[in-house]
Amino acid sequence: MKEYATKDIRNVVLIGATHSGKTTLSEAMLFEGKVIDRRGSVEDKNTVSDNTDYEQANQKSISATPLYAEFGGTKINIIDAPGSDDFCGGALTAFKVCEAAILTVNAQQGVEVGTEIYGRYAKQYGVPMIVAVNQLDHEKANWEHALETLKESFGSKIIPVQFPINPGTSFNSFVDVLTMKCYDAKGAASDIPAQYADEAESLHQELVEKAAEGDDALMEKFFDTMELSTEEIMQGLSAGLAKGEVMPVFCTSAKNDVGVARLLEFIAGAVPAPKCDASKPVSLFIFKTDVEQHVGEVSYFKVMSGTLNEGADLTNPENGNGERLSAIYAVAGAKKDKVAKINAGDIGCAMKLKNGKTDVTLAASGVEAIPHMVFPDFKYTCAVRALDKNDEVKVGEALSKITAQDPTLKSYFSNELRQTILQGMGEQHINYAMWRVKNEFKLEAETYAPKIPYRETITKTATARYRHKKQSGGAGQFGEVALLITPYVEGQEQPRNFKIDGKDTLLNIKGSETQTLQWGGKLEFNNCVVGGAIDLSFMPAILKGINQKMTEGPLTGSYARDIRVYVYDGKMHPVDSKEIAFIIAGRNAFSEAFRNAGPKILEPIYDVDITTPSEYVGPCMSDLNTRRGMISNQEMDGAFTILHARVPLAELYRYSTVLSSLSAGSATFSMKFAEYQQVPADVQKKLLDEYAAQAQEEE
Ligand SMILES: Nc1nc2c(ncn2[C@@H]2O[C@H](COP(=O)(O)OP(=O)(O)OP(=O)(O)O)[C@@H](O)[C@H]2O)c(=O)[nH]1
Ligand SMILES: [Mg+2]
């Protein structure tokens, strides 16, 4: 393999709706790029990109596969991303290392939901897009419709560079209004046939105007002469593309390899070279890790600066961990070619790195870490358990390994819920992780509904007095605590006037401590004891006892929050008062007061934003109603409506699946924790009954 300078490298990611033909297109690109000499197909399960069992069995991409093509002196790195939104992690990680995206559109369908979703992601991540209208050889291919829907979705950025001469089963040629030539299936150029001359001329004018908008000097020249040279058009389109103002549209049949060479030629000419400085010290950013058959762990990276030589000793600037890259490779799927060096801007891989995790920078000393990648919030949360209890730990370990490779997947053991929690982008995503647990780790496990992290708090003031007294043999235990609890309200001045035992009492606060609880909310502890009734040295023991009860509310055993405690009286014994006695007295006094203070269950409420085609607004809203959802706002975004709602987490289990089925797969959503709110009375009753039943079972 040749060595490529930064200016001769292009990095592009293939995005678009599922089944639009990204993987097939990548295969044709590799063929045109002389990396393979025979094209495989998705049906025959032999593409370079979809090389895992799961991808082949399901005939769709699951992870983003780095590939490359060598084309006319340029190395074009191509990342073939999955089209399913559940596996969006692939495209989003690729955005970090690519200068442009190729948005494939299925000519049978035009713009689909998946096209919209990925178009939106690309915009959000600031990645310019080139459009390939693919499958033009299909009998149902409809170029006009595809173009029209593209314009509806992306507006005036859409500019056709080509149009097909004979879309449909005999599709084998197209007119290119940039070069003003006609191309056949083999890529040979000829003059534009007379009957297409007018259409070509008018589209050429549009293209020239669009190109001129990309650059002021070109605009002047265009006003003077009303024409630009092919090079100038390229220059203008390239500038407009980089600014995200232009989306040039191409014609392809990935399956029959029509238009692919010309698309590669445009990528080489118009996509900006990586902005990576070859003269700086070396640094690389790992955007993907994977465990591959016969190889083990592979780390895929982009060289962000300098030149990476084989055998380089690098460190992770964030933690100082060292790493030697003894061998480095250029990659096309499973095919890996050992190379001696990789220049700034290029993509490669290394194997079996100790510190080569996703989202990590490795660099020469003194180089700063590359900013971390950003991902959407999780959309699907479930609990996982092993079918055989003895496998519980192994299942947890398998999930840790799987989730370490995928930043849009997370697993952890929740001490609060006593469950292993798995989170991802949707049910298919979770199912894939579980498939790996079964097939790669040979463990039987299942998913089930996660518990909800309820909280408990109080709604009024209450007091309690508790005496702990134990006389066993010689040494006894004695402690008595009288305390008052009242709701903690953020920002409210500490109240000091209370009615205690029917008498108005002004508490004299001698010491105060506010704990910010790990699970949210506050606990404020005040010492108001008068006349030395309890020695100061026992206060920490009383607080300790209260803290023990804060993790186990009296209603459902959930964590408690937002409580003010005032210890105002008590008793000691000259010999038997010791720490343990005050821990117990504090705990029990607190517990009793809690029960009398109008305890309430709080539940987590999420901000949910639903993006749906307007025709599904009705079904989405009535579904939200059944979930105790409150719609706060509604806005339009092109052909889509965005609903802003607040929904209790308890009502969101499997929501992604439900939303997808009630909108024919066309609505998407995001969810983010907002706050804790009291549950309605009927829900509180239901939860209390459940807890009581469960407690009985455990007895
Ligand atoms: N007729 C025709 N079929 C195509 C073309 N490109 C892809 N296909 C078929 O469309 C189906 C999906 O192709 P893929 O290449 O797997 O599509 P993809 O975009 O990678 O799909 P995901 O990985 O699921 O996102 C396969 O059956 C392909 O053979 C094309 O240009 N013409
Ligand atoms: Mg694919």
Side-chain angles (χ1 to χ4, degrees):
M1 160 155 203
K2 262 181 59 184
E3 189 192 308
Y4 290 92
T6 308
K7 69 173 181 44
D8 298 324
I9 294 164
R10 302 291 177 269
N11 299 306
V12 296
V13 49
L14 302 184
I15 58 172
T18 188
H19 289 130
S20 51
K22 299 175 291 299
T23 298
T24 310
L25 181 61
S26 71
E27 190 78 3
M29 286 170 138
L30 263 57
F31 178 76
E32 288 297 333
K34 312 271 184 314
V35 173
I36 52 177
D37 49 23
R38 207 179 143 263
R39 285 184 296 127
S41 76
V42 174
E43 285 76 11
D44 293 338
K45 307 181 195 303
N46 60 353
T47 62
V48 179
S49 175
D50 286 356
N51 53 38
T52 63
D53 291 349
Y54 194 86
E55 290 179 317
Q56 290 171 0
N58 291 280
Q59 300 206 1
K60 69 172 174 193
S61 309
I62 296 297
S63 71
T65 310
L67 309 157
Y68 70 89
E70 299 187 271
F71 194 86
T74 304
K75 183 183 180 211
I76 303 177
N77 291 306
I78 302 154
I79 300 181
D80 175 28
S84 156
D85 195 21
D86 273 33
F87 301 102
C88 64
L92 304 187
T93 49
F95 285 157
K96 181 83 177 178
V97 295
C98 290
E99 283 71 46
I102 313 300
L103 179 70
T104 57
V105 174
N106 184 339
Q108 301 169 59
Q109 320 282 352
V111 169
E112 299 172 77
V113 183
T115 325
E116 289 274 1
I117 291 174
Y118 280 98
R120 234 179 281 133
Y121 279 138
K123 195 172 155 200
Q124 191 187 336
Y125 284 74
V127 179
M129 286 180 276
I130 294 169
V131 180
V133 175
N134 186 41
Q135 308 212 14
L136 279 164
D137 63 288
H138 197 278
E139 56 181 2
K140 295 203 184 107
N142 185 337
W143 163 256
E144 281 77 23
H145 175 251
L147 202 58
E148 214 172 280
T149 55
L150 277 163
K151 285 178 177 164
E152 272 168 26
S153 294
F154 301 100
S156 62
K157 289 180 185 176
I158 293 294
I159 183 84
V161 175
Q162 307 176 334
F163 64 90
I165 285 188
N166 48 355
T169 45
S170 53
F171 173 66
N172 64 358
S173 58
F174 56 89
V175 171
D176 189 302
V177 300
L178 202 170
T179 56
M180 288 305 271
K181 294 272 184 220
C182 180
Y183 293 82
D184 70 10
K186 296 212 160 54
S190 58
D191 288 341
I192 297 173
Q195 73 263 43
Y196 302 110
D198 288 348
E199 188 179 354
E201 192 46 51
S202 108
L203 286 173
H204 179 74
Q205 274 312 313
E206 272 182 39
L207 187 68
V208 171
E209 277 175 44
K210 197 80 195 169
E213 286 170 15
D215 180 317
D216 289 347
L218 290 178
M219 191 53 113
E220 260 174 52
K221 160 114 197 269
F222 173 67
F223 278 137
D224 285 351
T225 62
M226 297 312 282
E227 184 49 309
L228 295 177
S229 69
T230 306
E231 291 68 37
E232 286 166 336
I233 301 173
M234 279 301 280
Q235 191 191 324
L237 288 180
S238 177
L241 184 70
K243 286 186 268 185
E245 289 167 0
V246 179
M247 290 174 67
V249 183
F250 288 77
C251 298
T252 59
S253 161
K255 191 176 176 189
N256 298 340
D257 189 15
V258 181
V260 178
R262 179 67 192 115
L263 176 61
L264 285 171
E265 189 182 13
F266 184 80
I267 292 170
V271 170
K275 283 192 194 68
C276 296
D277 193 338
S279 65
K280 290 228 168 97
V282 64
S283 68
L284 56 88
F285 180 80
I286 297 169
F287 65 95
K288 173 187 159 103
T289 51
D290 207 357
V291 174
E292 293 175 21
Q293 261 177 358
H294 316 300
V295 184
E297 188 153 307
V298 184
S299 305
Y300 293 89
F301 55 77
K302 177 178 181 180
V303 179
M304 305 301 278
S305 60
T307 300
L308 176 66
N309 292 304
E310 102 189 285
D313 280 308
L314 303 178
T315 43
N316 175 342
E318 289 184 298
N319 58 17
N321 288 340
E323 187 79 57
R324 164 165 293 189
L325 282 81
S326 47
I328 51 179
Y329 303 82
V331 281
K335 177 170 141 58
K336 302 195 166 64
D337 297 318
K338 203 162 171 299
V339 291
K341 63 174 165 172
I342 302 180
N343 288 322
D346 205 351
I347 285 172
C349 77
M351 288 152 198
K352 299 195 172 73
L353 301 184
K354 294 188 302 290
N355 302 304
K357 302 290 171 247
T358 305
D359 213 15
V360 156
T361 301
L362 294 175
S365 59
V367 179
E368 274 179 36
I370 311 294
H372 287 286
M373 298 192 276
V374 190
F375 298 100
D377 294 306
F378 296 109
K379 293 180 185 178
Y380 197 100
T381 300
C382 62
V384 177
R385 64 183 159 218
L387 295 194
D388 178 345
K389 269 211 155 16
N390 297 323
D391 287 341
E392 210 60 64
V393 172
K394 281 193 221 148
V395 168
E397 285 167 0
L399 287 174
S400 311
K401 283 189 186 145
I402 293 166
T403 55
Q405 290 162 21
D406 181 349
T408 56
L409 208 54
K410 179 177 169 183
S411 75
Y412 60 98
F413 183 78
S414 163
N415 284 322
E416 175 183 0
L417 307 174
R418 316 296 305 159
Q419 287 181 319
T420 298
I421 300 294
L422 178 61
Q423 297 185 288
M425 304 309 294
E427 198 158 6
Q428 281 185 59
H429 194 201
I430 297 296
N431 289 346
Y432 173 58
M434 296 306 290
W435 180 90
R436 292 187 63 184
V437 168
K438 186 176 164 70
N439 290 276
E440 290 172 22
F441 295 86
K442 310 286 180 221
L443 293 164
E444 297 284 348
E446 63 181 1
T447 61
Y448 63 111
K451 288 193 199 138
I452 302 299
Y454 291 109
R455 299 285 175 263
E456 293 180 20
T457 195
I458 54 173
T459 55
K460 55 185 192 194
T461 304
T463 58
R465 181 181 287 273
Y466 190 92
R467 176 182 292 183
H468 173 70
K469 191 174 167 185
K470 203 169 137 195
Q471 217 69 53
S472 58
Q477 295 180 0
F478 184 93
E480 184 177 314
V481 173
L483 50 71
L484 175 146
I485 62 175
T486 193
Y488 175 92
V489 181
E490 192 72 58
Q492 182 202 58
E493 209 186 311
Q494 220 169 18
R496 291 166 55 200
N497 279 301
F498 294 98
K499 237 190 181 69
I500 296 178
D501 300 330
K503 265 192 294 188
D504 283 327
T505 310
L506 174 69
L507 293 177
N508 178 13
I509 297 170
K510 296 184 177 142
S512 182
E513 173 180 348
T514 308
Q515 295 180 345
T516 300
L517 303 165
Q518 230 176 309
W519 51 87
K522 300 274 166 63
L523 171 71
E524 188 188 275
F525 180 76
N526 301 298
N527 171 13
C528 314
V529 171
V530 278
I534 305 174
D535 202 84
L536 197 62
S537 65
F538 290 122
M539 284 300 147
I542 298 172
L543 178 56
K544 200 166 170 185
I546 292 170
N547 274 326
Q548 286 174 0
K549 271 291 156 194
M550 288 293 287
T551 61
E552 198 191 325
L555 299 179
T556 60
S558 306
Y559 291 158
R561 55 178 285 169
D562 299 329
I563 299 175
R564 287 195 152 106
V565 182
Y566 302 78
V567 177
Y568 63 87
D569 195 17
K571 251 196 198 98
M572 291 186 296
H573 182 275
V575 184
D576 293 346
S577 278
K578 47 191 79 156
E579 190 192 11
I580 181 69
F582 279 97
I583 291 177
I584 295 170
R587 188 168 73 200
N588 291 346
F590 178 72
S591 188
E592 190 187 320
F594 201 129
R595 257 187 278 269
N596 294 326
K600 280 276 175 333
I601 301 172
L602 305 175
E603 64 177 340
I605 305 290
Y606 275 66
D607 278 325
V608 176
D609 293 341
I610 300 154
T611 304
T612 172
S614 301
E615 70 224 73
Y616 295 111
V617 168
C620 287
M621 282 185 168
S622 41
D623 174 72
L624 282 172
N625 269 333
T626 68
R627 297 175 188 278
R628 298 192 278 128
M630 301 283 283
I631 296 161
S632 56
N633 191 11
Q634 175 176 346
E635 56 181 310
M636 298 297 292
D637 178 15
F640 288 79
T641 300
I642 304 175
L643 296 174
H644 300 280
R646 286 216 153 171
V647 189
L649 179 64
E651 306 288 341
L652 286 170
Y653 181 50
R654 299 192 71 229
Y655 183 61
S656 61
T657 311
V658 173
L659 182 66
S660 172
S661 72
L662 71 79
S663 65
S666 63
T668 60
F669 80 111
S670 65
M671 57 189 267
K672 207 178 187 65
F673 171 74
E675 59 172 358
Y676 271 94
Q677 268 180 17
Q678 279 187 22
V679 301
D682 56 327
V683 177
Q684 171 140 337
K685 169 145 192 348
K686 193 176 129 245
L687 291 169
L688 290 177
D689 292 349
E690 275 172 18
Y691 185 65
Q694 190 195 328
Q696 207 156 32
E697 218 169 84
E698 280 166 11
E699 262 171 24

